[in-house]
Amino acid sequence: MSSLFALCISAFILCSPVRADDILLLCNLNSASPITLSSQQLKRIYTMKTRVWSDGTPITVFTLQTSDPVHKLFTQKLLKTNIYQLDRIWNRLTFSGQGRPPIILDTEEEMLANLKETPGAIGYLSGEIDSSKDLHPIQIREP
C-alpha cells in the first residue's frame, strides 16, 4: 500500500502545473555583476531582433517545444505574448531569409546541457531543475 501512495504522490508532483514564479531565466555569460533585462529587451532577444549581448558576445537563443507547459508559461508571463504569435515571428524570419529561429529543444535537461556548453546562450527552465553555478540567473525589470 505504501508503494501505491508513493506512486500517487510522484505522479502528482510530476503533473503539477508550473507557476510563473518557477521559471528560471538563465544565460551563459562571463559576468561578475548580476544580469538584468527589461521585459522589452527579453522580448527583443526572443524575437531575434537583438543578436548580441552588450559585451559583443553573440546570443544563442534556446527554447522548448511549443507544446511544453514551461514554454507556454514563459511565453505568456515573461514575453507577454502567446505561443502562436511567437511561432509566426520565427516562421517569418525563416521563410523571408532574414534570420534563423531559436534552437528548439525537447527537454529541460537538454536545455540545461546546451546552456552550459554554449557561451552567450540564453534559455529558461522550471524551478525544479538544478541550474548549477555555471549559469547566471537573469532578473527581469518591469518598465
Side-chain angles (χ1 to χ4, degrees), residues 38-71:
S38 69
S39 54
Q40 187 61 33
Q41 287 172 312
L42 180 63
K43 192 169 186 174
R44 288 186 59 78
I45 289 171
Y46 268 86
T47 56
M48 312 310 280
K49 292 178 182 173
T50 300
R51 297 177 187 200
V52 295
W53 293 104
S54 59
D55 69 355
T57 304
I59 300 173
T60 301
V61 179
F62 291 109
T63 188
L64 294 170
Q65 295 284 341
T66 301
S67 60
D68 191 295
V70 176
H71 174 71

Tab-separated table of all heavy atoms in Angstrom, residues 38-71:
chain	number	residue	atom	x	y	z
A	38	SER	N	15.214	44.343	-19.207
A	38	SER	CA	13.821	44.784	-19.176
A	38	SER	C	12.992	43.727	-19.904
A	38	SER	O	13.529	42.923	-20.677
A	38	SER	CB	13.663	46.141	-19.862
A	38	SER	OG	13.864	46.014	-21.256
A	39	SER	N	11.697	43.742	-19.684
A	39	SER	CA	10.837	42.786	-20.392
A	39	SER	C	10.914	43.034	-21.896
A	39	SER	O	10.855	42.095	-22.691
A	39	SER	CB	9.407	42.847	-19.875
A	39	SER	OG	8.912	44.145	-19.920
A	40	GLN	N	11.092	44.296	-22.309
A	40	GLN	CA	11.222	44.612	-23.731
A	40	GLN	C	12.525	44.064	-24.307
A	40	GLN	O	12.536	43.537	-25.422
A	40	GLN	CB	11.147	46.139	-23.938
A	40	GLN	CG	11.096	46.554	-25.385
A	40	GLN	CD	9.874	46.018	-26.111
A	40	GLN	OE1	8.806	45.867	-25.539
A	40	GLN	NE2	10.024	45.722	-27.391
A	41	GLN	N	13.622	44.149	-23.550
A	41	GLN	CA	14.893	43.592	-24.023
A	41	GLN	C	14.784	42.073	-24.184
A	41	GLN	O	15.277	41.515	-25.168
A	41	GLN	CB	16.022	43.920	-23.047
A	41	GLN	CG	16.464	45.361	-23.082
A	41	GLN	CD	17.445	45.675	-21.968
A	41	GLN	OE1	17.213	45.338	-20.806
A	41	GLN	NE2	18.543	46.326	-22.327
A	42	LEU	N	14.133	41.417	-23.225
A	42	LEU	CA	13.950	39.974	-23.308
A	42	LEU	C	13.133	39.608	-24.544
A	42	LEU	O	13.471	38.680	-25.278
A	42	LEU	CB	13.268	39.444	-22.049
A	42	LEU	CG	13.015	37.939	-22.029
A	42	LEU	CD1	14.331	37.166	-22.072
A	42	LEU	CD2	12.189	37.560	-20.810
A	43	LYS	N	12.081	40.358	-24.795
A	43	LYS	CA	11.242	40.091	-25.965
A	43	LYS	C	12.032	40.295	-27.261
A	43	LYS	O	11.902	39.508	-28.204
A	43	LYS	CB	9.999	40.973	-25.938
A	43	LYS	CG	8.959	40.564	-26.944
A	43	LYS	CD	7.662	41.280	-26.698
A	43	LYS	CE	6.575	40.753	-27.609
A	43	LYS	NZ	5.275	41.336	-27.300
A	44	ARG	N	12.877	41.320	-27.303
A	44	ARG	CA	13.699	41.554	-28.499
A	44	ARG	C	14.684	40.409	-28.733
A	44	ARG	O	14.954	40.035	-29.860
A	44	ARG	CB	14.441	42.885	-28.393
A	44	ARG	CG	13.512	44.087	-28.537
A	44	ARG	CD	14.277	45.404	-28.569
A	44	ARG	NE	15.233	45.483	-29.656
A	44	ARG	CZ	14.940	45.746	-30.931
A	44	ARG	NH1	13.695	45.971	-31.285
A	44	ARG	NH2	15.891	45.796	-31.840
A	45	ILE	N	15.198	39.828	-27.644
A	45	ILE	CA	16.105	38.682	-27.786
A	45	ILE	C	15.340	37.491	-28.344
A	45	ILE	O	15.790	36.836	-29.279
A	45	ILE	CB	16.774	38.341	-26.432
A	45	ILE	CG1	17.789	39.419	-26.063
A	45	ILE	CG2	17.429	36.957	-26.488
A	45	ILE	CD1	18.354	39.307	-24.660
A	46	TYR	N	14.164	37.218	-27.797
A	46	TYR	CA	13.406	36.031	-28.223
A	46	TYR	C	12.671	36.216	-29.548
A	46	TYR	O	12.228	35.240	-30.140
A	46	TYR	CB	12.469	35.551	-27.106
A	46	TYR	CG	13.162	34.519	-26.268
A	46	TYR	CD1	13.971	34.893	-25.209
A	46	TYR	CD2	13.071	33.168	-26.575
A	46	TYR	CE1	14.658	33.948	-24.462
A	46	TYR	CE2	13.758	32.217	-25.839
A	46	TYR	CZ	14.545	32.616	-24.792
A	46	TYR	OH	15.231	31.668	-24.072
A	47	THR	N	12.558	37.442	-30.040
A	47	THR	CA	12.035	37.645	-31.391
A	47	THR	C	13.186	37.830	-32.382
A	47	THR	O	12.954	38.188	-33.531
A	47	THR	CB	11.072	38.855	-31.450
A	47	THR	OG1	11.747	40.008	-30.961
A	47	THR	CG2	9.811	38.589	-30.649
A	48	MET	N	14.399	37.579	-31.898
A	48	MET	CA	15.616	37.571	-32.700
A	48	MET	C	15.981	38.947	-33.257
A	48	MET	O	16.712	39.055	-34.231
A	48	MET	CB	15.510	36.532	-33.829
A	48	MET	CG	15.011	35.157	-33.379
A	48	MET	SD	15.874	34.469	-31.955
A	48	MET	CE	17.324	33.830	-32.740
A	49	LYS	N	15.507	40.010	-32.637
A	49	LYS	CA	15.862	41.366	-33.059
A	49	LYS	C	17.179	41.816	-32.426
A	49	LYS	O	17.913	42.594	-33.021
A	49	LYS	CB	14.742	42.339	-32.706
A	49	LYS	CG	13.488	42.094	-33.515
A	49	LYS	CD	12.379	43.029	-33.113
A	49	LYS	CE	11.132	42.726	-33.920
A	49	LYS	NZ	9.978	43.492	-33.457
A	50	THR	N	17.451	41.351	-31.220
A	50	THR	CA	18.729	41.620	-30.565
A	50	THR	C	19.552	40.348	-30.682
A	50	THR	O	19.137	39.290	-30.217
A	50	THR	CB	18.526	42.001	-29.084
A	50	THR	OG1	17.727	43.176	-29.017
A	50	THR	CG2	19.851	42.243	-28.390
A	51	ARG	N	20.721	40.471	-31.303
A	51	ARG	CA	21.510	39.272	-31.611
A	51	ARG	C	22.836	39.185	-30.866
A	51	ARG	O	23.517	38.168	-30.952
A	51	ARG	CB	21.760	39.201	-33.109
A	51	ARG	CG	20.461	39.060	-33.870
A	51	ARG	CD	20.649	39.056	-35.343
A	51	ARG	NE	19.338	39.074	-35.979
A	51	ARG	CZ	19.127	38.713	-37.205
A	51	ARG	NH1	20.117	38.314	-37.952
A	51	ARG	NH2	17.912	38.762	-37.698
A	52	VAL	N	23.209	40.246	-30.151
A	52	VAL	CA	24.453	40.225	-29.371
A	52	VAL	C	24.205	40.833	-27.997
A	52	VAL	O	23.353	41.708	-27.826
A	52	VAL	CB	25.615	40.976	-30.067
A	52	VAL	CG1	26.029	40.305	-31.361
A	52	VAL	CG2	25.268	42.421	-30.300
A	53	TRP	N	24.964	40.329	-27.005
A	53	TRP	CA	24.922	40.903	-25.666
A	53	TRP	C	25.660	42.233	-25.678
A	53	TRP	O	26.374	42.546	-26.634
A	53	TRP	CB	25.586	39.946	-24.664
A	53	TRP	CG	24.828	38.679	-24.463
A	53	TRP	CD1	25.130	37.457	-24.968
A	53	TRP	CD2	23.622	38.497	-23.707
A	53	TRP	NE1	24.204	36.529	-24.574
A	53	TRP	CE2	23.269	37.136	-23.792
A	53	TRP	CE3	22.823	39.351	-22.945
A	53	TRP	CZ2	22.144	36.611	-23.164
A	53	TRP	CZ3	21.706	38.829	-22.315
A	53	TRP	CH2	21.375	37.478	-22.421
A	54	SER	N	25.524	43.003	-24.637
A	54	SER	CA	26.155	44.335	-24.575
A	54	SER	C	27.679	44.263	-24.675
A	54	SER	O	28.312	45.219	-25.108
A	54	SER	CB	25.741	45.067	-23.299
A	54	SER	OG	26.111	44.316	-22.167
A	55	ASP	N	28.287	43.114	-24.328
A	55	ASP	CA	29.744	42.979	-24.439
A	55	ASP	C	30.187	42.488	-25.820
A	55	ASP	O	31.362	42.257	-26.052
A	55	ASP	CB	30.282	42.054	-23.344
A	55	ASP	CG	29.868	40.602	-23.521
A	55	ASP	OD1	29.077	40.287	-24.440
A	55	ASP	OD2	30.336	39.762	-22.727
A	56	GLY	N	29.239	42.316	-26.747
A	56	GLY	CA	29.556	41.879	-28.104
A	56	GLY	C	29.468	40.381	-28.329
A	56	GLY	O	29.614	39.912	-29.458
A	57	THR	N	29.206	39.605	-27.280
A	57	THR	CA	29.069	38.146	-27.414
A	57	THR	C	27.781	37.823	-28.177
A	57	THR	O	26.719	38.334	-27.821
A	57	THR	CB	29.011	37.483	-26.014
A	57	THR	OG1	30.169	37.845	-25.274
A	57	THR	CG2	28.923	35.975	-26.134
A	58	PRO	N	27.864	36.985	-29.216
A	58	PRO	CA	26.637	36.594	-29.930
A	58	PRO	C	25.676	35.849	-29.001
A	58	PRO	O	26.100	35.060	-28.164
A	58	PRO	CB	27.136	35.662	-31.035
A	58	PRO	CG	28.598	35.934	-31.157
A	58	PRO	CD	29.061	36.403	-29.808
A	59	ILE	N	24.400	36.110	-29.152
A	59	ILE	CA	23.371	35.451	-28.349
A	59	ILE	C	22.895	34.205	-29.091
A	59	ILE	O	22.528	34.273	-30.266
A	59	ILE	CB	22.165	36.379	-28.098
A	59	ILE	CG1	22.594	37.636	-27.352
A	59	ILE	CG2	21.065	35.637	-27.326
A	59	ILE	CD1	21.490	38.687	-27.221
A	60	THR	N	22.910	33.076	-28.402
A	60	THR	CA	22.304	31.853	-28.910
A	60	THR	C	21.046	31.629	-28.083
A	60	THR	O	21.120	31.476	-26.862
A	60	THR	CB	23.250	30.645	-28.763
A	60	THR	OG1	24.451	30.921	-29.482
A	60	THR	CG2	22.605	29.377	-29.318
A	61	VAL	N	19.907	31.640	-28.751
A	61	VAL	CA	18.622	31.526	-28.060
A	61	VAL	C	18.142	30.082	-28.109
A	61	VAL	O	18.044	29.486	-29.175
A	61	VAL	CB	17.566	32.455	-28.711
A	61	VAL	CG1	16.225	32.323	-28.016
A	61	VAL	CG2	18.048	33.903	-28.679
A	62	PHE	N	17.844	29.552	-26.917
A	62	PHE	CA	17.285	28.210	-26.801
A	62	PHE	C	15.857	28.316	-26.289
A	62	PHE	O	15.549	29.174	-25.456
A	62	PHE	CB	18.097	27.350	-25.830
A	62	PHE	CG	19.460	26.991	-26.341
A	62	PHE	CD1	20.593	27.550	-25.784
A	62	PHE	CD2	19.612	26.089	-27.378
A	62	PHE	CE1	21.848	27.217	-26.242
A	62	PHE	CE2	20.865	25.751	-27.853
A	62	PHE	CZ	22.000	26.316	-27.284
A	63	THR	N	15.009	27.437	-26.778
A	63	THR	CA	13.624	27.389	-26.342
A	63	THR	C	13.158	25.939	-26.307
A	63	THR	O	13.783	25.068	-26.903
A	63	THR	CB	12.734	28.247	-27.274
A	63	THR	OG1	11.426	28.333	-26.718
A	63	THR	CG2	12.658	27.686	-28.664
A	64	LEU	N	12.081	25.701	-25.601
A	64	LEU	CA	11.482	24.373	-25.557
A	64	LEU	C	10.393	24.263	-26.627
A	64	LEU	O	9.973	25.268	-27.204
A	64	LEU	CB	10.888	24.105	-24.169
A	64	LEU	CG	11.904	24.023	-23.039
A	64	LEU	CD1	11.196	23.993	-21.691
A	64	LEU	CD2	12.805	22.805	-23.196
A	65	GLN	N	9.936	23.054	-26.876
A	65	GLN	CA	8.867	22.805	-27.848
A	65	GLN	C	7.632	23.641	-27.510
A	65	GLN	O	7.341	23.891	-26.348
A	65	GLN	CB	8.473	21.327	-27.832
A	65	GLN	CG	9.547	20.385	-28.287
A	65	GLN	CD	9.723	20.390	-29.797
A	65	GLN	OE1	8.856	20.816	-30.558
A	65	GLN	NE2	10.867	19.915	-30.243
A	66	THR	N	6.895	24.034	-28.521
A	66	THR	CA	5.673	24.820	-28.342
A	66	THR	C	4.681	24.118	-27.417
A	66	THR	O	3.972	24.766	-26.659
A	66	THR	CB	5.016	25.084	-29.716
A	66	THR	OG1	5.956	25.791	-30.530
A	66	THR	CG2	3.768	25.921	-29.593
A	67	SER	N	4.655	22.809	-27.448
A	67	SER	CA	3.699	22.055	-26.639
A	67	SER	C	4.109	21.935	-25.168
A	67	SER	O	3.309	21.508	-24.342
A	67	SER	CB	3.526	20.652	-27.217
A	67	SER	OG	4.772	19.975	-27.223
A	68	ASP	N	5.320	22.325	-24.820
A	68	ASP	CA	5.808	22.185	-23.450
A	68	ASP	C	5.135	23.222	-22.534
A	68	ASP	O	5.110	24.407	-22.865
A	68	ASP	CB	7.328	22.389	-23.427
A	68	ASP	CG	7.940	22.000	-22.116
A	68	ASP	OD1	7.630	22.667	-21.094
A	68	ASP	OD2	8.728	21.046	-22.079
A	69	PRO	N	4.590	22.805	-21.384
A	69	PRO	CA	3.933	23.756	-20.478
A	69	PRO	C	4.866	24.843	-19.951
A	69	PRO	O	4.435	25.968	-19.714
A	69	PRO	CB	3.421	22.889	-19.321
A	69	PRO	CG	3.742	21.491	-19.635
A	69	PRO	CD	4.504	21.428	-20.915
A	70	VAL	N	6.150	24.536	-19.810
A	70	VAL	CA	7.113	25.544	-19.356
A	70	VAL	C	7.278	26.614	-20.431
A	70	VAL	O	7.336	27.809	-20.138
A	70	VAL	CB	8.466	24.906	-18.977
A	70	VAL	CG1	9.490	25.966	-18.605
A	70	VAL	CG2	8.294	23.910	-17.840
A	71	HIS	N	7.332	26.195	-21.702
A	71	HIS	CA	7.434	27.161	-22.814
A	71	HIS	C	6.195	28.059	-22.858
A	71	HIS	O	6.307	29.271	-23.024
A	71	HIS	CB	7.607	26.433	-24.141
A	71	HIS	CG	7.578	27.350	-25.325
A	71	HIS	ND1	8.608	28.226	-25.599
A	71	HIS	CD2	6.632	27.554	-26.271
A	71	HIS	CE1	8.298	28.930	-26.681
A	71	HIS	NE2	7.112	28.535	-27.110
